[in-house]
Amino acid sequence: MASTDIAAVMRLSAQAFTLYRQTTPTSRALFLDTIAQHIEALGDALLEQASAETNLPIARLTGERARTTFQLRMFAAMLREGSWIEASIDHANTAKNPPAPDIRKMLVPLGPVVVFGASNFPFAYSTAGGDTASALATGCTVVVKAHPAHLKTSSMVAAAITKAIAQCQMPEHCFQHVTDGSFETGKALVQDEHTRAVGFTGSFSGGRALYDYAAARQHPIPVFAEMGSINPVLLLPDKLSKEAGLLATQYAASITLGMGQFCTNPGLLLAVKSEALTAFKTALASAIAQVQPAPMLHKGIIAAYRQKSQAALDTGCASLLQSGITPTSDMEPQLLITTVSGADFLQTPLLREEVFGPYSLLVECNDMAELMQCWAAVSGQLTTSLMGTDQDFTNYPDLVQSAMTYAGRVVFNGVPTGVEVCNSMVHGGPYPATTDSRFTAVGTAAVKRWLRPVAFQNCPSALLPAALRDENPDGIWRLVNQQWQR
Ligand code: NAP
């Protein structure tokens, strides 16, 4: 699609926004519920199409579809509950010197949002995924750029959304679907004058390029890009001495889950040399040796995996601990666990880059001081995991403070793969994990990316939005004169 067509798409999105922003939260809740129903109505045909395009197994896609419809319904419930709008009211106070005016504040939608579908979540982070659902919830219109690796799946889901638009009598262009796969199209979408924000999940180079396009606009806009992570895991000494075998089984499964094609894949393990670490390595190697490879998502992903895993080995300091069962097709990766000394890790920045796929690097440190240095050398992360006993946490009391500095989610005695969809989830983190560490891409708080606050000063009550009227017609929680009220 040429850039002139993108201009037309974005103009329609902006026109639809003037109507869609005025729809009530309850009507948008019904709209989101209806989208979920139409996705479910696509039945097995949707799963089969997605599996054919992405190589993901039907069981995984069944779970991901359920996650997607759950997310839509979660945002619908959030709209009906109402406090997401963050209404607050400070009545006029004539007793103050000088007198204080009446001020009322709420969140309003930014405008048309461009969403880039992610290759590794064809449902949950694509056409009707978390970015689209959260933006539509707020009253923003959405233009999705379909990921070229699952265009037909994306088109089926887009058709389900279009049906829901008609059924719920929403503005026709509150959602649009762009299927042309080219960087020029992506750039034109980000730089169009009507675009107000961007949601993206994918590579660092892609996310950074979109961020730079947005910053170069005459009127810059926010880009919420989730760009990857190596998710450091600390295997603490006491834990390792007690549970080396169990840790190895747990982490072999997490590293190879979905052929490692998760942004939360544990790509970096940090531990201090010991007999227990040797036992862990033996158990991890034995578990990995039995893992059967499966086809990766698309040719670009497997090519990038081969190139990046080879580059790590070519540094000359990382050595192979164990590979998985030998691949039998072009699309299957060689599963790899490599090891490096703490000193070499510190001197080799390339080893801190994401290798997207079934790969993990074990850093063998001389002591905890070196381990802490290696951990600190890694840039911003989505997650970091602490595998430790009470004794470990007593011995190293600074761990939690450091973990909070480095990552958006701190996992205790678990694996980082598996991101729960709930109010308290943070799927974000300091740059370069994302372009804005203040926000999350998962959970109800994801709506915050598409909203901005507006204050009304001495506004006549007839002109106030419903959420700010004294009678509180929707019965939502509000902060009134510093007291929470309903
Ligand atoms: P990608 O290459 O980042 O592409 C994602 C989307 O962004 C595509 O629609 C692509 O456009 C667009 N795009 C990328 N670079 C662009 C640019 N410079 N200008 C304009 N648009 C641009 O991601 P991918 O295809 O999913 O996979 C490639 C690599 O990304 C993987 O090997 C992996 O390293 C990484 N990845 C990471 C995660 C994660 O969660 N951390 C997830 C998926 C992938 P086109 O449609 O024109 O190609």
Side-chain angles (χ1 to χ4, degrees), residues 116-117 119-120 145-148 181-183 186-187 200-203 205-206 209-210 213 226-229 263 298 300-301 304 354 356:
F116 286 76
S119 63
N120 60 337
K145 179 176 179 300
H147 196 286
S182 82
F183 286 7
K187 183 177 181 185
F200 169 91
T201 299
S203 64
S205 58
L210 303 189
Y213 300 152
E226 195 248 272
M227 302 179 290
S229 203
C263 41
H298 64 77
I301 292 239
E354 183 185 48
F356 192 74

Side-chain angles (χ1 to χ4, degrees), residues 41-51 58 65 123 153 156:
L42 291 168
D44 290 350
L46 178 66
L47 301 177
E48 283 155 14
Q49 182 59 54
S51 186
I58 294 289
R65 181 182 58 183
F123 300 144
T153 304
M156 287 174 84

Side-chain angles (χ1 to χ4, degrees), residues 235 240 244 247-248 251 269 275-285 362:
L235 305 169
L240 207 47
L247 285 171
Y251 269 88
L269 309 176
E275 275 180 28
L277 181 59
T278 307
F280 170 82
K281 284 165 60 180
T282 307
L284 183 65
L362 170 66

Side-chain angles (χ1 to χ4, degrees), residues 340-349 351-352 363 369-378:
V340 68
S341 70
D344 283 343
F345 181 75
L346 286 170
Q347 282 168 20
T348 320
L351 294 177
R352 297 170 217 155
V363 184
E370 189 176 66
L371 184 149
M372 295 296 280
Q373 261 185 296
C374 292
W375 195 24
V378 179

Side-chain angles (χ1 to χ4, degrees), residues 31-66:
F31 177 40
L32 296 181
D33 283 342
T34 309
I35 295 174
Q37 285 162 13
H38 282 293
I39 290 173
E40 283 162 352
L42 291 168
D44 290 350
L46 178 66
L47 301 177
E48 283 155 14
Q49 182 59 54
S51 186
E53 284 183 299
T54 64
N55 296 316
L56 292 171
I58 294 289
R60 145 77 198 269
L61 289 166
T62 305
E64 194 185 320
R65 181 182 58 183

